[in-house]
Amino acid sequence: MQDVAESPESDNVTYESIDEKRLVERGQKGDREAIDELVRRYQNKAYQYAYRLTHDADEAADLAAEAFVRIYTAIPRFRAESRFTTWLYRIITNCFLDQKKKEKPRKTVSLDENPLLGESGTQMGAPVGDPTESSEKNERGEILMAAIDELPEYQRAMIVMYHMEMLGYEEIAAALDLPIGTVKSRLNRARLALRELLADQVELFISG
Amino acid sequence: MTPEKALELFSEYREGTLDPGLRQALERHFYENPATQEEYRVFVSVYDSLSNPPEVTPPANLSELINRRLDLADWERKREPKRQLRWFRLVTMGAVAAGVILTGYIALDRFGPQTGIAASSVPGIVTRDTSPSVARLNGETRIRFWSDHQTVVTVHTGGTRFETLPPSDASLVRSDELKGEYNVPLAINTTSPSVVWVTVKGLEGTTAIFLPGSHNPSLSATQDGDLISALQVVSAKYGIVIEARLNRSYQVPSVPFNNRTVDLVLGDLLSSTGLRWKVDGDLVRIR
């Protein structure tokens, strides 16, 4: 009588304590529980990135799930030349771009029409006459997010990866399969575009 | 330096990575062009605001959603070779049937009408369901199962009469008619060890799930007797969930724990049963 398969328990090791590289190796051999552990470790990160791209809870959850399905399917071919998380960002970005391609042409909202970017500079529903620091910060955050939504998808992904997910230029370059110089110049363009989009709310940002 | 060129350098200047020569040229440009300098001031404000994004809280059911999608992908992956096999079988059976008919025809032609061969019907293709199994995720225990046709999954708990499985005195917890995915959390919270029995209509055998209740490391041995009772003790001793696919219960010897691993204990316990086991973290599967 013998154990039917090698298991981490045989040497008192649990999936929770296995490092990422070994989990990936196990996943490549078809170990579903290794994949489950990778999901457990990175699902929040995946959702956070997806949410910051979409600003929609359902869409973000769907993107995160789709990304893990793609990972499950493609992991035997993953060459581990980059970190698993870099690959995860790449796949989520691809899922996001694919989804946007599939969607009907997005209804474009002009800056004048977008209530968050209107001339008043006041977020809809925000308490009027409540100039506390925190409400101003929230307002600034909402306006900023609305402006990010107006960016082309690729620029949006770069902005979110660099400024919110705190990825370095090299990691973004690896995730998007672009030269670092291209990432830097495109990010600069994205920031300049944001500055243009926020031209009407300049004071809000400078005072902050 | 043109204003356009100055704009291209804003990020690197802000990040302090600009070549010293270009930095001086840009600063000179700022001095001579206050409008560009003002643009840079706005740029920096926006740049800095980007790094304080609002907090994002994932939904509570995110893990469940992802696992369902993975289960589905898993199922589709397993189904694909079955489909190919099905086609292979159909083609093979077709070829055999054609061969038989041809042989019959030749025989009929050669030896007269008394040697004719009756046509046999092609048997229906039967797809087999997987057995219900246990998944442990984030400390939660779930029953998972997939059926590609309409069936009934029944869950019982408890019972002491192991002549039949589930025991005749087990209590019914739920019964679900379904086709497709079954993914149900085991929300039975008892302090004493318990057994959950999962049966699927039309599928042989029962999946027994042993839940440890309050972990009881002071237990010293199993007792002579029934495998099911012994597995309840092992589950409580090691604080593990045991999933066992059983057609019947077995008589097993007494097994001491004596600081031994669950692997060694199960080795002794199952040696006469022909069952095999696999330890995965705090889950043991027995087949």
Side-chain angles (χ1 to χ4, degrees), chain A residues 1 3-4 7 9 32-33 40 43-44 47 52 62 66 72 145 162 169 188 191 195 205-206, chain B residues 7-8 11 15 39 41 49 54 58-59 63 69 71 74 77 138 275-280 285:
Chain A
M1 189 59 46
D3 202 338
V4 292
S7 86
E9 190 67 10
R32 170 65 196 272
E33 289 185 52
R40 195 188 63 75
Q43 62 183 9
N44 288 356
Y47 176 84
R52 285 174 172 161
D62 194 53
E66 174 63 21
Y72 186 36
M145 291 304 136
Y162 185 86
Y169 287 120
N188 187 59
R191 292 171 189 136
R195 187 207 52 164
F205 286 88
I206 290 184
Chain B
L7 288 176
E8 281 176 26
S11 288
E15 287 158 10
E39 281 196 61
R41 201 164 70 95
S49 300
S63 173
R69 294 279 288 273
D71 286 345
D74 224 359
R77 206 153 62 162
N138 299 334
L275 294 167
R276 298 192 301 166
W277 72 97
K278 180 185 176 186
V279 182
D280 277 343
R285 296 180 202 278

Side-chain angles (χ1 to χ4, degrees), chain A residues 1-10 12-15 30-33 35-37 39-40 43-44 47-48 51-52 57 60-62 64-66 68-69 72-73 76 137 140-142 144-145 148 159 162-164 166 169 184 187-188 191-192 194-196 198 202 205-206, chain B residues 7-12 15 17 38-43 45-47 49-59 62-71 73-74 77 135-138 144 261-263 266-267 270-283 285:
Chain A
M1 189 59 46
Q2 60 181 17
D3 202 338
V4 292
E6 181 201 354
S7 86
E9 190 67 10
S10 56
N12 288 329
V13 178
T14 59
Y15 279 94
D31 183 342
R32 170 65 196 272
E33 289 185 52
I35 300 288
D36 288 345
E37 177 60 20
V39 169
R40 195 188 63 75
Q43 62 183 9
N44 288 356
Y47 176 84
Q48 179 178 275
Y51 183 83
R52 285 174 172 161
D62 194 53
E66 174 63 21
F68 280 113
V69 169
Y72 186 36
T73 312
K137 195 178 164 191
R140 205 165 51 225
E142 294 282 349
L144 198 57
M145 291 304 136
I148 290 171
I159 288 281
Y162 185 86
H163 289 281
M164 299 174 193
M166 311 303 276
Y169 287 120
K184 284 185 175 179
L187 254 170
N188 187 59
R191 292 171 189 136
L192 291 171
L194 272 181
R195 187 207 52 164
E196 287 294 321
L198 295 166
V202 165
F205 286 88
I206 290 184
Chain B
L7 288 176
E8 281 176 26
L9 304 176
F10 275 9
S11 288
E12 283 185 273
E15 287 158 10
T17 56
E38 177 58 23
E39 281 196 61
Y40 178 71
R41 201 164 70 95
V42 176
F43 178 88
S45 302
V46 171
Y47 185 110
S49 300
L50 283 167
S51 298
N52 294 306
E55 290 287 316
V56 174
T57 309
L62 179 64
S63 173
E64 189 181 330
L65 176 79
I66 295 173
N67 276 303
R68 278 188 183 182
R69 294 279 288 273
L70 287 177
D71 286 345
D74 224 359
R77 206 153 62 162
R136 296 272 295 151
L137 208 75
N138 299 334
R144 294 201 299 206
T261 64
V262 69
D263 247 344
L266 287 173
L270 301 175
S271 61
S272 61
T273 64
L275 294 167
R276 298 192 301 166
W277 72 97
K278 180 185 176 186
V279 182
D280 277 343
D282 61 356
L283 173 67
R285 296 180 202 278

Side-chain angles (χ1 to χ4, degrees), chain B residues 234-284:
Chain B
V234 173
S235 170
K237 162 72 181 177
Y238 292 94
I240 53 173
V241 176
I242 301 176
E243 173 212 299
R245 183 83 190 144
L246 300 170
N247 290 313
R248 61 184 178 89
S249 190
Y250 297 81
Q251 286 298 303
V252 289
S254 168
V255 175
F257 294 136
N258 297 336
N259 300 322
R260 297 161 78 217
T261 64
V262 69
D263 247 344
L264 291 172
V265 169
L266 287 173
D268 287 351
L269 203 58
L270 301 175
S271 61
S272 61
T273 64
L275 294 167
R276 298 192 301 166
W277 72 97
K278 180 185 176 186
V279 182
D280 277 343
D282 61 356
L283 173 67
V284 172

Side-chain angles (χ1 to χ4, degrees), chain B residues 2-143:
Chain B
T2 63
E4 290 75 25
K5 178 66 185 170
L7 288 176
E8 281 176 26
L9 304 176
F10 275 9
S11 288
E12 283 185 273
Y13 184 68
R14 167 68 184 78
E15 287 158 10
T17 56
L18 197 57
D19 169 86
L22 282 172
R23 182 164 51 82
Q24 280 181 2
L26 183 62
E27 284 169 354
R28 197 165 47 245
H29 180 82
F30 283 157
Y31 180 74
E32 291 162 1
N33 298 274
T36 315
Q37 187 168 20
E38 177 58 23
E39 281 196 61
Y40 178 71
R41 201 164 70 95
V42 176
F43 178 88
V44 169
S45 302
V46 171
Y47 185 110
D48 292 346
S49 300
L50 283 167
S51 298
N52 294 306
E55 290 287 316
V56 174
T57 309
N61 65 344
L62 179 64
S63 173
E64 189 181 330
L65 176 79
I66 295 173
N67 276 303
R68 278 188 183 182
R69 294 279 288 273
L70 287 177
D71 286 345
L72 191 63
D74 224 359
W75 179 76
E76 280 171 353
R77 206 153 62 162
K78 283 174 187 159
R79 196 179 168 196
E80 198 49 40
K82 267 191 195 168
R83 272 192 199 150
Q84 288 167 5
L85 187 65
R86 211 178 292 178
W87 275 107
F88 176 75
R89 279 182 187 158
L90 280 173
V91 169
T92 308
M93 279 191 284
V96 169
V100 166
I101 290 165
L102 189 64
T103 309
Y105 176 76
I106 292 168
L108 191 69
D109 195 39
R110 207 177 274 176
F111 302 111
Q114 67 273 30
T115 51
I117 296 169
S120 62
S121 62
V122 177
I125 303 298
V126 179
T127 56
R128 201 172 66 82
D129 297 292
T130 55
S131 307
S133 62
V134 170
R136 296 272 295 151
L137 208 75
N138 299 334
E140 191 185 45
T141 305
R142 305 183 77 88
I143 307 170

